[in-house]
Amino acid sequence: MNRTRPVETLLAALASFTVAFPLLTLFDSNTWVRPSLVIIATIALVGLGLRTLAASVWPVLLGQAVAGFLAIAWMHGQGHLYFGFVPGPDTVTSLGILLREAGDTVMAYSAPAPTERGVVVAITILVGVTALVVDAIAVTLRSPALAGLALLTAYLVSATNSGEGLSWRYFVLPVAFWLSLLATQGIGSVRRWSTAVPRGVDGQDHDPVLGVAGTARLLGAGALALAVVLPMVVPHLPTTFIADGLGRSDNARGGGDAVTLNTTVDLLRSLEDQSQSPVFNYTTTATASDPLRVGVLTDYRRGQWSTSLDANEVLTGGPDAPAGDAAIKRTNINLKVKDNRLQAPQIALPTPLVGVDLGNVPLRSNLVGNYEVDKKIDDYTATYSQLAPTDSAFSLEGPRPRGWEEGIYSEINADGMDRLQELVDSVVPEGSSPLETARLLQAHFRSTQYTYSLQLPTPTDPVSGRTMMADPLTNFLVSRTGYCVQFASAFILAARLKGIPSRMAIGFLPGTYSKGSYTVRAADAHAWPELWFPDLGWTRFEPTPGVRTGGAPTYSLIPTSVDPSATATPTPTGATPSPSASERPDSDSGAADNTTSTSSGPLAWAVDNLLVLVILLAVVLSLLLLPVAARLRRQRLRSAARDDAERVEAEWASLISRLGDIGIAPPDGSTPRQAGARLTHDAILSGEPKEAIGRIVATVERARYAPPQAEIPDVHADARTVWKAALSARQRSDQVRAYLVPGDGVRQWRETKDSVVAWPRNAWSRLRRH
């Protein structure tokens, strides 16, 4: 017997290597791949040699462990080796420091985390331990089935720390190598059994193992296929992260309807997907609702905001909102939240908070005024103040906020500060007041010089065209493209440069208003800066462009009644002077002069712009193609129905299709009752629309089981009621897409194309028959 077992060794090494592939989704580069290959090859080759020389198991395991440690020390401990190649206590200390750095990285960054040197060391050790355990169990101890547990553990390290389900490709490769390893050793074991199989009818000896192996291969392939297909119909389980930062994803986490807002905000991340899952509904007495805050972030480190303060102070006497100046006009606003899906300890509350009714659940706070609860609350009420301050209230004279002495609101990270200081100097004139500083910074970031985008560009050097590996703040200031996190971060650090206490708040925009209440979805998550003014407390500003947030608070806007030329403030160096009213593109000055240009009449103007009119007409007609086709298709299906039952089925299919256009669809194969329950939940139906879909479901069930030609009520009116209610609760972009690109219209044009393509073939077939 060959004790080296080269085939099994190779399969074990390949399984150990491929099971680490999911780590590619958790880190931003693959610099760990090469050292991982080296450590796997070292353990495999040493195992091959020692199994030839040693009959016992322990010398093989000890030799592989020592060889693996030496390989790690030679790759990552350079400068800490005796005579340049002998590891010692200093080597172990240096590796320990690198591992602590790796721990800090995965605790601070959400995936994909930066692949720093400590991370590479940690992954190399993790892969090496996996390779050692798999080789020892599967090859040396000849128990490949048990080695599957070690491979599963290594796979789960990545799978349970991903915000979304891993691709099936990451699963298939290690499982295929493990099954091959299992089959190789299994066939060898079966061949050693004694057998009394007779010769075949052809007189030849037939290998009895082939039948067993064929059955085993069939079972293995079936199990692998089932393992790949089953997760496609099972929802991704809640993220179970071993590292508080690494396991977080941009998407909401939690099981079922639970939603948790990520409290580690990373400037490097692009928001590729925005969930439309509802978070909560609320009503308010305010004519214009304000954002609702969930958390406060104070610490900025290497492009990421976080806070390390726990909310351990129970507020028995109500919220500790600052008293402020009594002369400032305050309007108390009541807010009532329903169907809250935000997971504890997080809770969405308006600010500045005056009072809150959480039932018997206590409200806790920390040093920076971040509110938390002990358990999830479905319904609660809150009262807050809407301020109407005068400019004199925005003074820094007075008490500093709690935590100021600890440097919580004044610390500035060094990355990108030179460029930010240059921007502040060009935007804010010397001697500006705190309010003027905040207003000028906000106006600068909300100007057309910046672009709001969920996709973050990679800045390139304008001369060489090469990618600039700058810090995230510099990337934003160079590209001038980002979303709320980038705009708020630059604003906060700029305000801190001017000595104004500043911090980041995270929460939700007011949401979508419909029929007297607001619906807040996960896609409404937002970040904004809060500045401290003793007479006002923490005050919201809005540097993110209005395309996302709408209008900024009135007090934060630069007064338009002031003539810039009449002020003593000079135009900052490098800043673009504000255009006068007559110079603005949207100005109405000179409108009287423009009327003379049309003296030749509208007919002459139409002739001069005939091409433009034709293009506009073509655009309008093209936009109407799909909506008209969808309408005709629905009418055709209703008119083609032979009885009331088919007409009800046509209405039901049309409603399902139209709801699918706005992202609301029941599971495949669901019954009408299951589909109705799912649609009611996802579309957030209540009142008459909820009753209407109940009547539709009951009518569909009756139509399917009623005798032929039975009279069944029409559900067209109820279907319109449900459709209008569901559509009104969606975002404007979803509404436009549903009108312009309806699924029924796409299907109608596809059927038309297929019939046109098939017509010559059908005509030729008929001609041949004749």
Side-chain angles (χ1 to χ4, degrees), residues 153-491:
T153 302
Y155 179 81
L156 291 178
V157 169
S158 302
T160 58
N161 282 280
S162 62
E164 299 176 349
L166 290 172
S167 170
W168 60 272
R169 297 176 182 85
Y170 292 114
F171 177 77
V172 168
L173 283 176
V175 171
F177 287 125
W178 174 68
L179 288 175
S180 300
L181 178 63
L182 194 65
T184 300
Q185 290 197 5
I187 290 175
S189 299
V190 173
R191 288 190 188 280
R192 291 192 292 273
W193 296 350
S194 59
T195 180
V197 176
R199 291 177 179 269
V201 294
D202 54 0
Q204 301 293 325
D205 290 329
H206 293 276
D207 190 348
V209 177
L210 296 180
V212 178
T215 304
R217 281 194 295 266
L218 183 61
L219 291 175
L224 179 58
L226 183 63
V228 172
V229 173
L230 188 61
M232 296 181 181
V233 296
V234 176
H236 185 54
L237 297 178
T239 302
T240 306
F241 43 85
I242 59 173
D244 189 42
L246 187 62
R248 300 182 184 274
S249 67
D250 285 336
N251 300 326
R253 356 181 224 105
D257 293 336
V259 176
T260 302
L261 194 63
N262 190 350
T263 55
T264 303
V265 177
D266 191 348
L267 268 68
L268 290 171
R269 294 299 301 269
S270 295
L271 299 181
E272 298 175 355
D273 179 36
Q274 290 197 306
S275 171
Q276 295 298 320
S277 301
V279 181
F280 55 83
N281 302 320
Y282 71 94
T283 57
T284 178
T285 58
T287 55
S289 187
D290 298 304
L292 282 77
R293 195 179 72 192
V294 173
V296 173
L297 306 179
T298 59
D299 305 330
Y300 180 77
R301 294 286 188 280
R302 294 181 295 179
Q304 193 166 58
W305 286 92
S306 62
T307 184
S308 57
L309 301 173
D310 296 326
N312 49 21
E313 178 183 350
V314 178
L315 302 179
T316 56
D320 57 346
D325 189 348
I328 297 174
K329 182 180 178 181
R330 302 170 184 265
T331 303
N332 282 352
I333 302 297
N334 296 323
L335 183 140
K336 186 174 183 180
V337 175
K338 295 182 178 180
D339 301 325
N340 175 45
R341 297 174 175 88
L342 198 60
Q343 191 79 321
Q346 295 182 348
I347 183 170
L349 291 171
T351 56
L353 192 61
V354 176
V356 62
D357 182 6
L358 306 178
N360 57 357
V361 178
L363 181 68
R364 293 184 287 109
S365 178
N366 60 11
L367 180 65
V368 300
N370 193 29
Y371 299 121
E372 292 184 358
V373 290
D374 294 327
K375 66 178 182 178
K376 177 176 171 290
I377 307 172
D378 294 331
D379 305 321
Y380 57 92
T381 59
T383 303
Y384 72 103
S385 294
Q386 279 189 345
L387 307 181
T390 60
D391 290 2
S392 60
F394 291 87
S395 171
L396 293 180
E397 296 181 1
R400 292 294 191 177
R402 296 173 61 189
W404 174 262
E405 292 77 9
E406 293 84 350
I408 292 179
Y409 306 115
S410 57
E411 184 175 355
I412 300 175
N413 187 273
D415 294 340
M417 283 301 108
D418 293 339
R419 191 177 293 273
L420 185 63
Q421 183 68 65
E422 181 181 352
L423 182 145
V424 172
D425 293 340
S426 66
V427 172
V428 182
E430 195 68 30
S432 297
S433 68
L435 177 59
E436 290 171 343
T437 298
R439 283 174 171 175
L440 288 170
L441 289 173
Q442 175 178 279
H444 173 75
F445 289 119
R446 289 175 67 93
S447 69
T448 56
Q449 300 179 48
Y450 290 81
T451 302
Y452 180 88
S453 175
L454 299 181
Q455 289 295 325
L456 301 182
T458 301
T460 56
D461 187 279
V463 178
S464 64
R466 296 180 178 177
T467 299
M468 295 174 55
M469 300 304 294
D471 65 277
L473 179 60
T474 299
N475 286 346
F476 171 67
L477 297 178
V478 171
S479 66
R480 299 200 170 193
T481 300
Y483 51 96
C484 56
V485 173
Q486 285 73 30
F487 285 95
S489 299
F491 183 95

Side-chain angles (χ1 to χ4, degrees), residues 30 86 93 118 135 142 151 209 218 273 293 296 305 321 340 359 373-374 443 525 536 547 571 573 647 714 723:
N30 58 0
V86 179
T93 302
D135 187 90
R142 303 185 66 80
L151 292 171
V209 177
L218 183 61
D273 179 36
R293 195 179 72 192
V296 173
W305 286 92
N340 175 45
V373 290
D374 294 327
L536 301 173
V547 66
T571 302
T573 303
R647 190 173 298 107
D714 189 13
W723 165 245

Side-chain angles (χ1 to χ4, degrees), residues 759-770:
W759 181 85
R761 183 171 59 253
N762 296 335
W764 175 249
S765 299
R766 289 193 297 267
L767 182 61
R768 291 184 61 185
R769 286 196 302 270
H770 286 301

Side-chain angles (χ1 to χ4, degrees), residues 8 100 105 112 150 155 270 314 350 360 432 481 493 505 553 568 591 623 705 718:
E8 291 93 329
R100 283 194 294 272
T105 299
Y155 179 81
S270 295
V314 178
N360 57 357
S432 297
T481 300
L493 296 177
L623 292 176
Y705 304 109
D718 285 339

